[in-house]
Amino acid sequence: MTEAAPPPQFSDARPPFYQRLGARLALMAAVAMLPLGFLGLVQTQAANSESDQRANLAIMDETTRAAAPEIRLIQSAQVMVATLAQSVGPVLADTAACRRLMAAVAAQEPALSLVAYVPLSGKMTCASTGKDFDFSTNPRFPRVATLDHPGFSVNPKGPVSGVSVLGVSHPVYDATGARIGFISASMPHKALEDVGIVVADASPRDPLALLTFDGDGTVLTSSVGLGNAPFSVPIDKSLQDLAAGGAQTFLARTVGGEQRIFSVVPMADGLFVLGSWSRAESVIVLGYNISPYLFPLLMWLAAMCVALLGAETLVARHMRHLGSAMTAFAGGDRKRVVLDLKGSPAEIIELGRSYAVLTETILHEEAELENIVRQKEILLREVHHRTGNSLQLIASIMRIHIRQEKTIAVRNILEGLHDRVMALATVHMGLYETAGQKDVKMDALFSGVIRQISGMGKPTSKRTPIATDFEPIQLIPDQAVPLALLLTELLAGMPASEAQMGQVEVSLRLLEGQQKARLHIKGPASLGTAASDQPTPTAIGTQLVRGFAQQIGGAVSVANTPEAVDVTVDFPIREGFEP
């Protein structure tokens, strides 16, 4: 016969989070969403790039719009000086006519504070103001005089007007093509700022700073003032580099440490506009803007959360409820539990219905088994009771024969048989009292057997004294009955005459450190012996003792002396004993 496999062992510890259904479903959802998330990131990146391009173009348009009044004024001045440079030649010999021409041109643009022809000598005699002025001693004059192309100049304090001005110049050539001087138009920066302010008042969005500069990186105008202009340019790029780079929009920090968006727009030959705009708030992680990627990330996280919530709501909580009910039922709790599976999937409802049917079937079968066991206990008690009564009846009949018997030897044999029968009756009555119990208390059973054997049919003065020492040992009935009968046979040889009387010691103890017990009996030499001159029943009793010892799996050890006999029975305690 093959041995049955042991039942599976399960730990009572709660499993870690990553082993739960919700976590695994969330992981699967995350993996399933990876391609979609990657596609979303690519599309977001493409949309972000397109949005950045549109934003850059929009910022350029805004920069152009914001600088349009000043640029128109500067370009108008450029056109004026270029036109004068071509038409001033015929009137250079006539100072009065030249002054009238300059005054007429200046009258067309109120923002111009001076329009003049300056020869290479630096002595101005033809000006819109009608005054003469010598520029030859001005440190800025050589630079303007040597220009062979239109140019700009900035003077914080104009020599004629005495205020900060922006100068627009254009070289003048004679008929031979030799440069003889230049036309200069001066515009006060205050006039340029006033034009920008008027337009800015009507704009919903304006740059933080607006600068115009030439190809050499010289700041021509500034909405924040020429003194603050150096703090409004990028910290890592010069204006000359920006002029060489053409139209562009980029993100950088200013010299003042602020993060801004810069836009450079070429407006004319040698004229550029730099707009500095505030940057919209965004999520920055490790120096990178992750705002465009938040939506795919949130979508991915939302899928995981939905998987967790779905697993918890639809499966996990119902399974925990069902598992708790199963664990309690397997642990012996037979209370009827009504499972609340409302809102759960149909599969779990079906599982709960199967569990309910299973528990009802088990409870019904357990009830039937309990009835069968109870009936068997009743029958067993009845068997022991009737057997004990029958044995007592036999003992009573034997007592009648003993009284009528005249032969002493036969009477002694009958008395010995009578004691054995009464001992058997005592054992069955003890089993009757303990029927239905898993184990038999041996101290109580032995005490009853000894009382029966020591006192039956003997006067009080002739009863053999028996000293007992029983530990509270419980044995299964398969061992308790043979052991009680073994004790009966050993005590059956107690002396009946005063000459043979002596104290009998009976003990039942557990052996230390072992699942074994020891029955020890010590008494007079006639106890349990089988001498050749003794009656036959005594020899039969000795054989019975060894047979009973074999039934309980024990070993009998006998030590005889002329005065006493010492019997020891060691036997293992079979499964079912609880000390």
Side-chain angles (χ1 to χ4, degrees), residues 243-258:
Q248 56 184 306
T249 301
F250 57 92
L251 181 67
R253 290 189 179 275
T254 64
V255 177
E258 298 180 12

Side-chain angles (χ1 to χ4, degrees), residues 22-45:
R24 296 188 176 185
L25 286 179
L27 179 60
M28 294 177 64
V31 173
M33 290 292 292
L34 279 179
L36 184 60
F38 180 75
L39 178 61
L41 287 176
V42 173
Q43 292 179 345
T44 300
Q45 189 174 7

Side-chain angles (χ1 to χ4, degrees), residues 211-391:
L211 283 70
T212 59
F213 61 97
D214 60 9
D216 296 331
T218 302
V219 178
L220 304 179
T221 63
S222 173
S223 63
V224 295
L226 293 177
N228 295 325
F231 299 99
S232 300
V233 298
I235 192 172
D236 55 348
K237 295 182 180 180
S238 64
L239 293 178
Q240 191 173 5
D241 295 335
L242 294 178
Q248 56 184 306
T249 301
F250 57 92
L251 181 67
R253 290 189 179 275
T254 64
V255 177
E258 298 180 12
Q259 189 86 2
R260 294 184 183 180
I261 299 176
F262 293 93
S263 179
V264 180
V265 182
M267 300 303 298
D269 187 16
L271 179 62
F272 302 88
V273 176
L274 174 65
S276 175
W277 301 83
S278 61
R279 183 169 180 263
E281 293 294 332
S282 58
V283 181
I284 304 297
V285 176
L286 300 178
Y288 296 94
N289 180 17
I290 66 169
S291 298
Y293 307 101
L294 283 179
F295 177 74
L297 179 61
L298 292 176
M299 181 179 64
W300 188 63
L301 293 176
M304 296 181 65
C305 293
V306 168
L308 281 171
L309 183 60
E312 175 65 23
T313 304
L314 299 177
V315 180
R317 64 188 183 97
H318 302 296
M319 293 303 295
R320 282 198 300 269
H321 190 190
L322 185 58
S324 299
M326 289 182 176
T327 302
F329 188 83
D333 186 0
R334 292 300 182 261
K335 296 180 181 178
R336 295 182 180 272
V337 179
V338 179
L339 296 176
D340 183 12
L341 301 179
K342 184 183 300 182
S344 60
E347 292 80 2
I348 296 181
I349 294 178
E350 186 64 27
L351 180 62
R353 187 179 297 110
S354 300
Y355 168 73
V357 173
L358 175 65
T359 53
E360 287 294 333
T361 303
I362 293 176
L363 290 175
H364 179 71
E365 291 181 353
E366 285 182 347
E368 290 183 351
L369 288 176
E370 289 180 358
N371 291 333
I372 293 173
V373 171
R374 188 176 298 108
Q375 292 175 5
K376 292 178 68 174
E377 289 178 356
I378 294 173
L379 292 175
L380 185 60
R381 288 170 62 91
E382 185 66 20
V383 168
H384 287 307
H385 185 262
R386 291 183 179 273
T387 302
N389 290 340
S390 299
L391 291 173

Side-chain angles (χ1 to χ4, degrees), residues 439-478:
D439 300 318
V440 179
K441 295 181 179 180
M442 298 308 298
D443 52 347
L445 183 59
F446 278 7
S447 298
V449 172
I450 291 174
R451 283 195 305 268
Q452 181 66 35
I453 293 177
S454 63
M456 182 64 67
K458 299 174 182 177
T460 304
S461 60
K462 292 185 178 182
R463 292 177 181 175
T464 303
I466 300 177
T468 59
D469 183 10
F470 302 137
E471 290 187 358
I473 299 177
Q474 298 181 16
L475 298 178
I476 59 177
D478 290 345

Side-chain angles (χ1 to χ4, degrees), residues 401-576:
H401 286 287
I402 291 172
R403 291 173 182 172
Q404 295 178 355
E405 182 60 45
K406 303 300 182 180
T407 305
I408 296 177
V410 175
R411 184 181 297 174
N412 291 336
I413 293 174
L414 291 177
E415 286 181 353
L417 293 176
H418 174 268
D419 292 342
R420 285 188 174 91
V421 172
M422 288 304 299
L424 288 174
T426 302
V427 170
H428 281 282
M429 294 305 295
L431 294 176
Y432 166 75
E433 295 175 357
T434 60
Q437 298 181 6
K438 183 178 180 181
D439 300 318
V440 179
K441 295 181 179 180
M442 298 308 298
D443 52 347
L445 183 59
F446 278 7
S447 298
V449 172
I450 291 174
R451 283 195 305 268
Q452 181 66 35
I453 293 177
S454 63
M456 182 64 67
K458 299 174 182 177
T460 304
S461 60
K462 292 185 178 182
R463 292 177 181 175
T464 303
I466 300 177
T468 59
D469 183 10
F470 302 137
E471 290 187 358
I473 299 177
Q474 298 181 16
L475 298 178
I476 59 177
D478 290 345
Q479 284 188 302
V481 174
L483 189 63
L485 296 176
L486 185 150
L487 177 63
T488 302
E489 293 301 327
L490 288 176
L491 296 180
M494 287 192 304
S497 63
E498 295 182 2
Q500 296 176 327
M501 288 180 62
Q503 184 175 0
V504 177
E505 299 176 359
V506 182
S507 64
L508 180 64
R509 296 179 178 275
L510 284 172
L511 296 181
E512 184 177 359
Q514 304 179 35
Q515 192 69 7
K516 290 185 177 182
R518 172 175 291 176
L519 175 62
H520 179 248
I521 302 175
K522 183 179 181 181
S526 62
L527 182 65
T529 60
S532 60
D533 57 347
Q534 290 180 334
T536 302
T538 303
I540 295 175
T542 304
Q543 296 176 4
L544 290 175
V545 167
R546 298 191 181 277
F548 292 144
Q550 290 179 358
Q551 291 183 23
I552 63 175
V556 180
S557 176
V558 180
N560 290 327
T561 64
E563 294 81 13
V565 62
D566 194 318
V567 181
T568 302
V569 181
D570 293 337
F571 61 93
I573 299 177
R574 295 175 184 170
E575 185 179 358

Side-chain angles (χ1 to χ4, degrees), residues 190-227:
K190 182 64 170 60
L192 294 172
E193 293 175 2
D194 291 343
V195 173
I197 291 174
V198 171
V199 178
D201 290 341
S203 175
R205 183 171 182 264
D206 295 292
L208 298 177
L210 188 66
L211 283 70
T212 59
F213 61 97
D214 60 9
D216 296 331
T218 302
V219 178
L220 304 179
T221 63
S222 173
S223 63
V224 295
L226 293 177

Side-chain angles (χ1 to χ4, degrees), residues 136-157:
S136 60
T137 59
N138 192 305
R140 302 177 184 272
F141 176 74
R143 176 183 176 278
V144 179
T146 58
L147 290 176
D148 58 355
H149 57 80
F152 301 94
S153 64
V154 178
N155 197 332
K157 187 175 182 180

